[in-house]
Coordinates of all heavy atoms in Angstrom, one line a residue:
A162 N 19.7 -10.1 9.1 CA 21.1 -9.9 8.6 C 21.9 -9.6 9.8 O 21.9 -8.5 10.3 CB 21.1 -8.8 7.5
S163 N 22.6 -10.6 10.3 CA 23.3 -10.5 11.6 C 24.7 -10.0 11.5 O 25.2 -9.5 12.5 CB 23.3 -11.9 12.3 OG 24.0 -12.8 11.5
D164 N 25.3 -10.0 10.4 CA 26.7 -9.5 10.2 C 26.8 -8.6 9.0 O 26.9 -9.0 7.8 CB 27.6 -10.8 10.0 CG 27.8 -11.6 11.2 OD1 26.9 -12.4 11.5 OD2 28.8 -11.4 11.9
V165 N 26.7 -7.3 9.3 CA 26.6 -6.3 8.3 C 27.4 -5.0 8.6 O 27.4 -4.5 9.8 CB 25.1 -5.8 8.2 CG1 25.0 -4.8 7.1 CG2 24.2 -7.0 7.9
A166 N 28.3 -4.6 7.6 CA 28.9 -3.3 7.7 C 28.1 -2.3 6.9 O 28.0 -1.1 7.2 CB 30.3 -3.4 7.2
S167 N 27.5 -2.8 5.7 CA 26.6 -1.9 4.9 C 25.8 -2.8 4.1 O 26.1 -4.0 3.8 CB 27.5 -1.0 4.1 OG 28.3 -1.7 3.1
I168 N 24.7 -2.3 3.5 CA 23.8 -3.0 2.6 C 23.8 -2.4 1.3 O 23.5 -1.2 1.0 CB 22.4 -3.0 3.2 CG1 22.4 -3.5 4.6 CG2 21.5 -3.9 2.3 CD1 21.0 -3.5 5.2
P169 N 24.3 -3.1 0.2 CA 24.4 -2.5 -1.1 C 23.0 -2.2 -1.7 O 22.0 -2.7 -1.3 CB 25.0 -3.7 -2.0 CG 25.6 -4.6 -0.9 CD 24.8 -4.5 0.3
A170 N 23.0 -1.3 -2.7 CA 21.7 -0.8 -3.2 C 20.9 -1.9 -3.7 O 19.6 -1.8 -3.5 CB 22.0 0.2 -4.3
P171 N 21.4 -2.9 -4.5 CA 20.5 -3.9 -5.0 C 19.8 -4.7 -3.9 O 18.5 -5.0 -4.1 CB 21.4 -4.9 -5.8 CG 22.6 -4.0 -6.2 CD 22.8 -3.0 -5.0
S172 N 20.5 -4.9 -2.8 CA 19.8 -5.7 -1.7 C 18.8 -4.7 -1.0 O 17.7 -5.2 -0.5 CB 20.8 -6.1 -0.6 OG 21.7 -7.0 -1.2
L173 N 19.1 -3.4 -0.9 CA 18.1 -2.5 -0.3 C 16.8 -2.5 -1.1 O 15.7 -2.5 -0.5 CB 18.7 -1.1 -0.2 CG 19.7 -0.9 0.9 CD1 20.3 0.6 0.7 CD2 19.0 -1.0 2.3
R174 N 16.9 -2.6 -2.4 CA 15.7 -2.6 -3.2 C 14.9 -3.9 -3.0 O 13.7 -3.8 -2.9 CB 16.1 -2.5 -4.8 CG 16.6 -1.1 -5.1 CD 16.7 -1.0 -6.7 NE 17.7 -1.7 -7.2 CZ 19.0 -1.3 -7.4 NH1 19.3 -0.1 -7.0 NH2 19.9 -2.1 -8.0
Q175 N 15.7 -5.0 -2.8 CA 14.9 -6.2 -2.5 C 14.4 -6.3 -1.1 O 13.6 -7.2 -0.8 CB 15.9 -7.4 -2.8 CG 16.3 -7.6 -4.2 CD 17.3 -8.7 -4.4 OE1 16.9 -9.8 -4.5 NE2 18.6 -8.3 -4.6
L176 N 14.7 -5.3 -0.3 CA 14.2 -5.3 1.1 C 13.0 -4.4 1.2 O 12.4 -4.4 2.3 CB 15.3 -4.9 2.0 CG 16.4 -5.8 2.5 CD1 17.5 -5.2 3.2 CD2 15.8 -7.0 3.2

Side-chain angles (χ1 to χ4, degrees):
S163 58
D164 288 80
V165 180
S167 64
I168 305 175
S172 295
L173 284 173
R174 287 193 290 271
Q175 293 178 78
L176 286 169

